[in-house]
Amino acid sequence: MDTPVIKLSLSEEETVYVPSEDSFLLIDALEADLELFRTVKSRLCLEIGSGSGVVITALAAALKKYCSSYFLATDINPHACMVTKKTSINNAVDIDVIQMDLVFSIRNKGVFDIIVFNPPYVVTESVEVYDKRLISKTWAGGIKGREVMEKIFAHIPILLSDVGIFYLVVIEENEPDYIMRIFRNFGMKGEIVADRKIRGEHLKVLRFVKLKQREPKNCEETIVKNG
C-alpha cells in the first residue's frame, strides 16, 4: 500500500492530527491483509476518527484494484472532515466524509466489512477528554487511555458484517489483553497483528473478527442517517 500524499497547512496542523507512527503502523497492518480483503471482496469500509484521512485513503487506493468498494470516514472535528476529503481528492479516490461523534449517527446493522479506528489512546485525566480544543481530542484518552475507545466497543459487532474485521490501534498502557477479553464477551476474537516501539510507546494493532463467520453479504444501500 502506498502512503497517500498529505498536504496540511499550518492552520490545519493546529487542529488536525498529523500522520505519525501509529497511522503508518495501522496502514502496515491493513497492507498485510490485502489478500484477505481481495478474497472476501470487502465492499463497505469505515474509518472512525479519520483525522488527515491518510489511513482510509491508503485503503481505498489499494482496494480499488480488486473490487468496487464504498468508503466512509467519520470525525467529530469539522476541520478533519475537510482535510480527509481533500486527501481523498488529492489521491484520486472517492471517500464520503461525515462529521459525527464516533459512530453514533450510523443506524444500519451488519454492513461494514472493514472498520478501522486509531483512537485517542494516551493516558490522561478524564477532564482532558472533554477539552474543547479540537487537537486535544486526537490524543487524550482519559483513564487508562480507554475512555473514548470504550464508547464504541459494543457497537462494533453490531456494525460489522458476518465477515467483517475491526482494526484498533492501542498502546501497552491501554491493556490490550483486557480489551480482547471485552470483545470475547461480544462474540469476537482478537489478536495482535502488528506492534512497534517508538519514543517510549509500545504501539499495537489489534484485529477482531466474529467467532462464527459466514459468507459475506452484498450491500449497496445507504448506510448513514443524520441525527
Side-chain angles (χ1 to χ4, degrees), residues 185-203:
N185 292 333
F186 294 148
M188 298 188 68
K189 176 184 177 181
E191 62 181 323
I192 299 169
V193 293
D195 71 283
R196 186 173 298 163
K197 291 183 178 180
I198 57 154
R199 298 188 298 276
E201 285 186 343
H202 191 175
L203 293 163

Side-chain angles (χ1 to χ4, degrees), residues 16-207:
V16 178
Y17 185 68
V18 178
S20 190
E21 290 294 334
D22 49 359
S23 312
F24 304 133
L25 182 62
L26 180 52
I27 290 174
D28 288 346
L30 294 170
E31 182 177 31
D33 281 349
L34 276 179
E35 180 60 26
L36 173 60
F37 303 154
R38 185 190 68 81
T39 300
V40 301
K41 293 182 171 56
S42 301
R43 297 187 182 278
L44 295 177
C45 308
L46 166 68
E47 180 173 17
I48 305 165
S50 59
S52 70
V54 65
V55 175
I56 189 107
T57 298
L59 181 61
L63 282 185
K64 72 179 182 180
K65 303 173 185 177
Y66 304 123
C67 57
S68 178
S69 302
Y70 172 79
F71 299 91
L72 173 67
T74 72
D75 204 295
I76 196 171
N77 180 351
H79 304 291
C81 291
M82 290 186 287
V83 170
T84 292
K85 191 64 179 180
K86 180 174 70 172
T87 298
S88 71
I89 293 171
N90 288 343
N91 290 273
V93 295
D94 187 16
I95 297 171
D96 281 346
V97 186
I98 306 293
Q99 183 186 356
M100 72 170 75
D101 184 7
L102 299 171
V103 296
F104 300 143
S105 293
I106 299 177
R107 298 289 182 262
N108 292 63
K109 300 178 181 179
V111 295
F112 290 105
D113 299 314
I114 301 171
I115 300 177
V116 296
F117 189 26
N118 183 6
Y121 52 65
V122 176
V123 178
T124 67
E125 297 292 332
S126 290
V127 66
E128 294 187 50
V129 173
Y130 304 99
D131 193 315
K132 292 184 178 180
R133 293 174 299 172
L134 292 173
I135 195 64
S136 297
K137 297 184 181 299
T138 67
W139 55 268
I143 297 172
K144 296 187 181 295
R146 294 201 306 257
E147 287 191 47
V148 177
M149 68 175 78
E150 284 187 333
K151 292 179 180 180
I152 69 155
F153 285 174
H155 294 265
I156 295 302
I158 297 172
L159 294 172
L160 280 177
S161 70
D162 290 336
V163 295
I165 308 172
F166 173 51
Y167 296 84
L168 177 70
V169 178
V170 299
I171 56 175
E172 189 64 35
E173 289 80 359
N174 302 150
E175 300 178 343
D177 289 340
Y178 172 81
I179 294 172
M180 287 189 282
R181 288 197 299 272
I182 290 176
F183 275 91
R184 185 79 183 189
N185 292 333
F186 294 148
M188 298 188 68
K189 176 184 177 181
E191 62 181 323
I192 299 169
V193 293
D195 71 283
R196 186 173 298 163
K197 291 183 178 180
I198 57 154
R199 298 188 298 276
E201 285 186 343
H202 191 175
L203 293 163
K204 300 174 186 285
V205 177
L206 307 183
R207 180 179 64 194

